[in-house]
Amino acid sequence: MALTLIEGVVNAVNTYIQANMPAKLDTLDAEYGDFTLDNIKTYYIAEVKAIPGYPSIFLLGDNVEVLGEGGNWLKSGNNLDIIVFVGDQDTTILRRKIYRYIRALIELLITSRTSQGWVVNFKSVELSPMYSKGGDYLSDAHLAVEIVATETHSL
């Protein structure tokens, strides 16, 4: 088997989040009961110039640190940026949506530790809009995480 490194981690995390996000959002909607979180319209694993619909999630590989290696294995720390874009004409609801989408992502990644066998290290959450500046009804948040994975290979 060949190494997949950060590409494999990005694909696996993307697949996991897509499969589990709708149920997580339903759980949060039931808990809060004040408004409904929309399902994620599009998931991206690369930058795009325009985002056709909101909410959207970008899952981007940032860098890889080799943490150890042996005869047929490699352990890597894969740093990912997960960015959620949200739109709403009510700025108070917009901000609350950002908080809840970030909470959903963090909770999903916590549960992935057991179900996927990953080590997940949360680095930071940036709640100030970084990518959606200039739009009154758009906001984004950035979650930085490290996924530690060990792969075997036959190289």
Side-chain angles (χ1 to χ4, degrees):
M1 179 190 305
L3 295 171
T4 61
L5 298 173
I6 199 164
E7 180 180 9
V9 171
V10 166
N11 289 339
V13 172
N14 187 44
T15 299
Y16 180 80
I17 290 172
Q18 283 190 43
N20 293 285
M21 183 63 88
K24 177 53 72 177
L25 296 178
D26 288 346
T27 299
L28 293 178
D29 286 343
E31 178 182 330
Y32 288 102
D34 50 359
F35 56 83
T36 302
L37 294 168
D38 296 320
N39 283 323
I40 303 299
K41 297 211 180 339
T42 310
Y43 292 83
Y44 299 95
I45 58 170
E47 293 93 346
V48 296
K49 291 184 187 264
I51 303 169
Y54 301 96
S56 296
I57 288 179
F58 283 74
L59 200 147
L60 307 172
D62 184 34
N63 64 56
V64 178
E65 180 181 353
V66 176
L67 303 174
E69 63 177 305
N72 69 337
W73 61 273
L74 186 132
K75 183 176 184 179
S76 60
N78 302 275
N79 291 295
L80 308 179
D81 295 320
I82 305 172
I83 304 149
V84 60
F85 287 87
V86 179
D88 199 290
Q89 291 188 2
D90 182 321
T91 56
T92 300
I93 290 176
L94 176 62
R95 195 62 168 181
R96 291 185 186 282
K97 283 183 176 182
I98 284 288
Y99 298 152
R100 293 178 194 177
Y101 283 110
I102 287 294
R103 176 183 167 191
L105 286 166
I106 289 172
E107 289 181 2
L108 286 176
L109 289 170
I110 288 170
T111 60
S112 77
R113 289 174 173 154
T114 303
S115 65
Q116 302 299 306
W118 297 321
V119 174
V120 179
N121 298 315
F122 295 100
K123 303 255 182 177
S124 66
V125 175
E126 178 66 50
L127 294 168
S128 299
M130 298 184 314
Y131 301 100
S132 58
K133 290 185 182 199
D136 291 336
Y137 305 117
L138 299 176
S139 191
D140 62 84
H142 172 211
L143 171 63
V145 299
E146 176 191 45
I147 306 291
V148 178
T150 302
E151 294 184 73
T152 58
H153 61 79
S154 57
L155 300 175

